[in-house]
Every structure is written in C-alpha cells, then in structure tokens.
Amino acid sequence: MALLLSLLTALVLLSSGPARALGCDLLEDHVLLSKENLVLLREMNTISPLFCLKDRQHFRFPGAAVDGSQVQKAQALSVLHQMLQQISDLLATENSSVPWNTTLVDQLRIGLHRQLKDLDTCWEQEMGEEGPALATQGPTLALKGYFQGIRLYLKEKEYSDCAWEVVRVEILRSFSSTRALQEMLRNKDGDLRSP
C-alpha cells in the first residue's frame, strides 16, 4: 500500500508541478535563442545600409505592443508568439533569401522555430483556453498590421536586395525590442493570467 501511495504521489507531482514549471522555464532558453537569432540577423548583412538609403521606409513599429509596462503578462506570450511567427513567415517568402547567405537564413529559421516551440509549450500550459482570444486583441493585431506593411513594401520594391536589407534592419530593430517582454516573462511573479 505504501508503495502504491508513493507512486501515486510521484505521478501527481510529475503531472502538475514540474511539468508546469518546465514549460515556462524554457523562457531562459528562449532569451538565449533570441540573442543567437539577433547575431544571425546581424551576420546576414550583405549590402551596406548606406547603399540602400533611397529605399528606407518607416514601418511604424507598434512599440506599445511590445512595451513590457504596457502589455499584460497574458498578452506578452501572445505578442512574442505573433512577432516570431510573423518573422518566420516573412523569411519563408519565396524571394526572402535573395541577398542573404542561405546557411544563415536556415539557421535563423531553425532558431525561430525553436523559440516558437518553446513559447507554444509555455502557452499551452499557462493560457489554456484564453489563448485564441488573446491572438485577436490590440497588441497582436497591431503586429499583424505592421508585418502586413512590410510585406506590401517588399512587393512594391519587387523584392529587391535593398528592400530586403531595409527589412532585415527593421526586423533586427523590432526583434531587439521584444527584450522587455522576455524579461517580464522571465521575471514573472506568478500566473501569467494576472494583469
């Protein structure tokens, strides 16, 4: 009987405590991956940004969407996921690797995929049924609109090397701005559902 009780206790502990912690502890790895992805984005530079000054564009990055002090913790997961998904989708565009080293692009895609997988694990454990509703709220919608503007710009510029360089710099800037959200999630003081 004591053995059965011990096994049941262990099973309960494994299915509730550590599993929940494991998913969101992955955010430590997420931050490391984010830094690695930023390095890859910097290394992808093949054209001097000065050469592409005529192609510069102000994309109106929705800063409030990624400002850790403005976004509720529950929205932070949604915003980070949306940002990574949009960058990943953008890099999957047919003409995305024209000016870049394909090895670097592939490494970046793998890094983004790993980050998305980590966030998905945390998302499922922390958000449950709230998740889909958050994907349609203000900050997430603002990011979708921002990336739609980038796609339209690339199409207008016919996916030129300079257009991709401008977009690379913009992605680098926007991706860097997610650090506040990552820090907020990493230093969270409890349930992500609390404002």
Side-chain angles (χ1 to χ4, degrees):
M1 183 69 167
L3 178 63
L4 182 59
L5 185 58
S6 298
L7 287 173
L8 286 173
T9 303
L11 184 60
V12 167
L13 288 173
L14 284 173
S15 65
S16 61
R20 181 183 175 101
L22 177 64
C24 288
D25 284 347
L26 292 174
L27 288 171
E28 292 291 330
D29 292 337
H30 179 88
V31 172
L32 179 62
L33 278 169
S34 183
K35 290 176 183 176
E36 291 172 6
N37 287 339
L38 284 170
V39 169
L40 288 170
L41 275 166
R42 287 184 188 107
E43 290 177 0
M44 288 168 56
N45 182 11
T46 56
I47 301 171
S48 168
L50 296 175
F51 180 72
C52 300
L53 287 177
K54 65 182 179 351
D55 293 300
R56 282 187 311 179
Q57 173 77 19
H58 181 63
F59 294 102
R60 300 189 200 310
F61 180 71
V66 297
D67 180 357
S69 66
Q70 299 292 319
V71 177
Q72 293 180 5
K73 289 181 180 180
Q75 291 174 322
L77 278 173
S78 178
V79 167
L80 278 174
H81 192 278
Q82 185 63 228
M83 174 77 81
L84 295 173
Q85 187 64 58
Q86 291 288 336
I87 292 170
S88 182
D89 291 349
L90 195 60
L91 292 174
T93 302
E94 184 178 321
N95 299 311
S96 67
S97 60
V98 172
W100 300 322
N101 176 318
T102 55
T103 302
L104 292 176
V105 173
D106 289 342
Q107 288 175 343
L108 180 59
R109 285 180 183 159
I110 289 168
L112 290 169
H113 177 72
R114 286 178 53 203
Q115 281 187 282
L116 282 166
K117 188 175 175 184
D118 289 350
L119 279 178
D120 284 343
T121 301
C122 190
W123 179 270
E124 290 169 9
Q125 292 174 359
E126 295 292 338
M127 303 311 298
E129 308 223 350
E130 280 183 53
L134 288 173
T136 61
Q137 290 183 0
T140 307
L141 286 177
L143 278 174
K144 286 180 181 181
Y146 165 73
F147 279 98
Q148 182 60 30
I150 289 174
R151 284 185 185 81
L152 290 173
Y153 165 80
L154 285 168
K155 188 174 181 179
E156 283 175 15
K157 295 290 184 175
E158 298 177 355
Y159 303 94
S160 71
D161 288 358
C162 267
W164 276 111
E165 178 57 21
V166 168
V167 167
R168 184 193 67 82
V169 171
E170 182 67 19
I171 290 172
L172 188 60
R173 183 179 10 249
S174 64
F175 197 66
S176 295
S177 67
T178 63
R179 285 186 184 169
L181 289 178
Q182 292 170 353
E183 285 301 314
M184 182 183 70
L185 288 171
R186 196 169 74 165
N187 298 324
K188 66 183 176 61
D189 56 339
D191 192 345
L192 286 173
R193 290 175 228 211
S194 63

